[in-house]
Amino acid sequence: MAEERGLATDRATLLSLYDLDAGGFRNLDEITGFAAQLCGVPIALVSIVEDVRQRFLSRVGIDAEETPRDVSFCALAMLGADIFLVPDATRDPRFADNGLVTGPPYVRFYAGAPLVGADGEALGALCVIDTVPRADLTPLQRQGLTLLARQVMVELEGRRRDRDMILRQRMDAAAVAESDRMFRTLSDAMPQMVWSTLPDGYHDYYNARWYDYTGVPTGSTDGAAWNGMFHPDDQDRAWARWRHSLATGEPYEIEYRLRHHSGDYRWTLGRALPIRDGDGMIIRWIGTCTEIHEQKLMMEEREMIAHELSHRIKNIFSVIAGLIGLSARQHPEIADVADDLRDRILALGRAHDFVRPHSAESAPQAGGGQGSLWGILDQIFAPYRGAAGSRIALSGDDPAIDDRSATPLALLFHELATNTAKYGALSVANGMVHLHVSVERGDVRIDWREEGGPPVVPGRLDGFGSRLMTLSVERQLGGRIERDWRPDGLRLSLWIPSRSMSRAAETA
């Protein structure tokens, strides 16, 4: 019994796929009418065999809408691959006592073409019935009945596909609704403000945190009204950045001042990422707003303290240079040494001000190369510019530097420039220095080449200057230095690890 109930359930599930209870079988009515005319019979049926009954989806020549399965001819017809034929039911032991034979409609002749689904499951039969015995159908009638049965299945499979599509749409809609519910639940639980926009940037959702933070009525910032929540000085900048992201698909990120429910404007970090479909098209933007007001104030305070310290350090350089000058005037015999020392102190001051300006006025101007090797070299070599331009020509790469490499680099190139001005190429009117920079496998190579100067005397650099250069390159920067005393001028090559030039290179 359990097995029979299982089979019945399986068949009921199978037939439910075709949405047979929805009605609307007009096309099947035309098929059964044509089948009756084709075969010259009074009765034609489209019969679907269920677990305890057979149901007539379409019928000609009979009023009954269904009969019990145990009297069904179609229950046998659907099991074969070809037309099931009963020439005279009264002479067939399988049907002689059948109520449809002994009573209305008094079936004598039966021919049924099986209805088989795309998955191979038998559903029922398209049958024609006569009340008088017949030997057979003609070949044309057999072929026609088979083709009409196939057309019935075309109709039924179409209903199944339509039903499946509707179910998928309902499931998709339910999944979207559930996903939306989950998203809103999660976003409302987040400590951040969360928002969402359509592909064109129209803001259509904010989480509860947004309304708690801003204090505005629900829905009042939909569309483009969000920009009115920003500080007036930040609105144009925010609009420009948002339009750029919409046009390019690039992530949106900006800092601005957002109006708090207290009426104050507080610094906020806004971010958004595009959500794309399988074809790469943007279907939505999801964004967040995070208050960074306290962090911003702390950074500003730290920057103010750093500028103040930088200013004091700059003053210390100036005081030391002044003390050296005062000592030289009181002791003329140390004037030369004092001048060299004062120049070195001032070179360190320029290097410090280059990477750590103590004010906006002291910072290199736009295009001044702050944070790059060429920028600091331009500061060190400034005294050697003439009306025709600099006599130290730079070429090649321009690697990044920071505060830890600025001081040894300033001392190194100050010594080189000072010595070439005293003894080398820059000591004569037409002398030149060529400095080429290249990045080679994790090292920065710098080649210094003098030309047009007086005959070179090996060991031209004084002992202290040479030791200072070696200390700067090898000890402080972890590099190496090579000197080549050629008749046409000094050639010097340096190899400095990129990680010693800048912390950014260290983490790259």
Side-chain angles (χ1 to χ4, degrees):
M1 293 295 292
E3 183 178 354
E4 291 179 0
R5 285 196 299 271
L7 291 174
T9 302
D10 290 344
R11 185 152 189 83
T13 302
L14 168 68
L15 296 177
S16 70
L17 299 177
Y18 292 89
D19 202 18
L20 302 180
D21 293 327
F25 297 109
R26 182 175 179 179
N27 290 341
L28 296 186
D29 292 341
E30 294 177 354
I31 293 174
T32 53
F34 184 73
Q37 294 180 25
L38 174 67
C39 299
V41 296
I43 301 173
L45 304 169
V46 172
S47 173
I48 300 297
V49 179
E50 298 180 357
D51 53 339
V52 297
R53 66 173 179 169
Q54 65 174 353
R55 178 164 38 152
F56 306 139
L57 300 184
S58 176
R59 61 192 187 280
V60 172
I62 191 173
D63 293 332
E65 296 181 355
E66 62 181 57
T67 63
R69 176 171 176 160
D70 57 8
V71 298
S72 172
F73 284 65
C74 295
L76 292 176
M78 73 178 185
L79 300 179
D82 203 351
I83 291 178
F84 179 74
L85 191 70
V86 180
D88 186 352
T90 62
R91 295 179 177 274
D92 190 318
R94 294 172 295 180
F95 304 106
D97 297 329
N98 189 298
L100 300 177
V101 176
T102 60
Y106 300 103
V107 177
R108 297 296 181 266
F109 173 80
Y110 175 93
L115 301 176
V116 182
D119 51 7
E121 292 286 348
L123 305 182
L126 169 64
C127 66
V128 292
I129 298 172
D130 204 342
T131 56
V132 297
R134 294 174 58 166
D136 200 349
L137 296 175
T138 68
L140 179 61
Q141 290 170 337
R142 278 180 168 270
Q143 182 182 15
L145 192 61
T146 300
L147 291 176
L148 290 174
R150 292 176 183 170
Q151 187 60 36
V152 170
M153 287 312 305
V154 169
E155 294 292 329
L156 294 182
E157 291 293 344
R159 294 172 69 92
R160 178 175 180 173
R161 286 193 298 272
D162 291 344
R163 177 186 179 278
D164 289 346
M165 181 179 68
I166 292 172
L167 288 176
R168 283 196 298 271
Q169 290 174 343
R170 290 175 180 172
M171 291 175 63
D172 289 345
V176 169
E178 178 63 13
S179 176
D180 183 66
R181 186 188 69 80
M182 289 294 295
F183 169 74
R184 291 173 182 268
T185 300
L186 289 172
S187 65
D188 283 344
M190 292 179 65
Q192 289 177 304
M193 293 168 271
V194 180
W195 48 271
S196 174
T197 81
L198 301 177
D200 61 1
Y202 182 91
H203 286 65
D204 62 350
Y205 170 75
Y206 297 88
N207 71 340
R209 173 63 176 157
W210 166 268
Y211 294 111
D212 291 342
Y213 186 89
T214 59
V216 299
T218 300
S220 62
T221 49
D222 286 356
W226 57 272
N227 200 44
M229 300 297 298
F230 295 178
H231 191 285
D233 294 343
D234 299 336
Q235 291 180 10
D236 290 343
R237 181 170 55 89
W239 260 119
R241 185 68 189 88
W242 179 232
R243 288 194 186 101
H244 175 78
S245 292
L246 291 177
T248 63
E250 295 178 5
Y252 171 76
E253 182 169 331
I254 189 173
E255 293 181 4
Y256 52 80
R257 286 161 289 182
L258 179 65
R259 190 169 70 234
H260 187 254
H261 63 75
S262 64
D264 297 333
Y265 285 97
R266 302 180 69 83
W267 280 104
T268 304
L269 173 63
R271 287 175 171 163
L273 290 173
I275 306 300
R276 300 178 185 271
D277 61 16
D279 297 324
M281 297 295 293
I282 295 175
I283 58 175
R284 184 159 283 277
W285 287 81
I286 303 295
T288 60
C289 303
T290 306
E291 187 191 296
I292 56 170
H293 194 72
E294 298 301 327
Q295 299 94 309
K296 191 80 172 178
L297 294 182
M298 289 175 60
M299 289 177 62
E300 291 177 353
E301 183 178 356
R302 186 174 64 181
E303 191 67 19
M304 182 178 66
I305 293 173
H307 283 167
E308 179 62 23
L309 289 174
S310 179
H311 178 68
R312 292 174 183 248
I313 292 172
K314 180 71 174 179
N315 286 343
I316 290 174
F317 282 131
S318 298
V319 169
I320 293 174
L323 290 174
I324 293 172
L326 180 62
S327 298
R329 286 192 293 274
Q330 293 178 344
H331 302 279
E333 67 277 10
I334 65 168
D336 292 340
V337 174
D339 288 343
D340 286 343
L341 183 56
R342 185 176 62 248
D343 288 345
R344 290 174 178 134
I345 294 297
L346 293 176
L348 290 176
R350 286 196 298 272
H352 172 79
D353 220 24
F354 180 76
V355 295
R356 290 283 188 185
H358 63 273
S359 67
E361 292 74 19
S362 66
Q365 300 303 307
Q370 184 176 12
S372 73
L373 178 60
W374 284 28
I376 194 169
L377 292 180
D378 188 63
Q379 298 286 319
I380 299 300
F381 297 153
Y384 306 102
R385 286 193 200 97
S390 177
R391 297 175 63 191
I392 302 178
L394 301 179
S395 63
D397 299 322
D398 186 16
I401 65 167
D402 57 23
D403 54 333
R404 67 177 176 182
S405 61
T407 299
L409 288 171
L411 287 175
L412 168 68
F413 288 104
H414 170 76
E415 292 300 321
L416 283 170
T418 299
N419 278 279
T420 193
K422 289 181 179 179
Y423 313 112
L426 301 188
S427 66
V428 297
N430 297 322
M432 283 287 296
V433 175
H434 297 275
L435 193 151
H436 182 76
V437 183
S438 59
V439 179
E440 303 177 343
R441 297 185 299 276
D443 285 342
V444 175
R445 176 173 176 169
I446 304 174
D447 292 299
W448 171 283
R449 177 170 59 86
E450 300 179 20
E451 63 178 27
V456 172
V457 178
R460 181 192 73 196
L461 297 175
D462 64 87
F464 178 75
S466 180
R467 289 194 298 273
L468 188 59
M469 289 172 58
T470 300
L471 175 66
S472 298
V473 174
E474 296 181 357
R475 299 288 183 85
Q476 293 183 269
L477 295 174
R480 60 190 177 92
I481 183 171
E482 291 183 0
R483 301 177 179 84
D484 186 5
W485 304 94
R486 296 192 179 186
D488 56 343
L490 170 66
R491 296 198 177 185
L492 180 142
S493 295
L494 308 170
W495 289 267
I496 301 173
S498 296
R499 63 179 182 276
S500 298
M501 301 287 282
S502 168
R503 293 179 182 85
E506 188 175 41
T507 58

